[in-house]
Amino acid sequence: PNLSVQYYPTLTDLENNTNQITNPASALVGDATLVDDPINLVQYVYIAVSGNNTIDYTGRRCYTVVPQGYVINPLPKVD
């Protein structure tokens, strides 16, 4: 009850507190530089789990990073 979670597409976004994923249905995650539909490649969404009662010197809640791995395999191409 005293924890909050925020989701981010990259670790850099989490660390900079930018581009938070607020609507999972419209979130673009993953490495956009990957081409040719890689199969079985693990990518991550980064989750900041923070206590509601702990604030650091910048005013941001203290947090722990939880990388959540996922694999999206593309549908086969029909020629």
Side-chain angles (χ1 to χ4, degrees):
N2 290 326
L3 297 177
S4 296
V5 294
Q6 292 86 30
Y7 299 87
Y8 296 88
T10 68
L11 183 57
T12 301
D13 286 328
L14 184 149
E15 291 170 344
N16 293 327
N17 200 23
T18 57
N19 298 319
Q20 180 179 347
I21 298 171
T22 56
N23 182 355
S26 64
L28 298 175
V29 296
D31 187 344
T33 63
L34 298 174
V35 295
D36 297 328
D37 299 322
I39 295 176
N40 295 327
L41 177 68
V42 178
Q43 296 195 49
Y44 293 90
V45 170
Y46 295 88
I47 306 167
V49 180
S50 56
N52 294 329
N53 300 323
T54 55
I55 307 293
D56 70 8
Y57 70 96
T58 67
R60 185 174 181 188
R61 289 183 285 184
C62 298
Y63 62 89
T64 297
V65 177
V66 179
Q68 176 64 57
Y70 65 94
V71 175
I72 299 175
N73 288 323
L75 294 173
K77 293 182 181 179
V78 178
D79 293 325

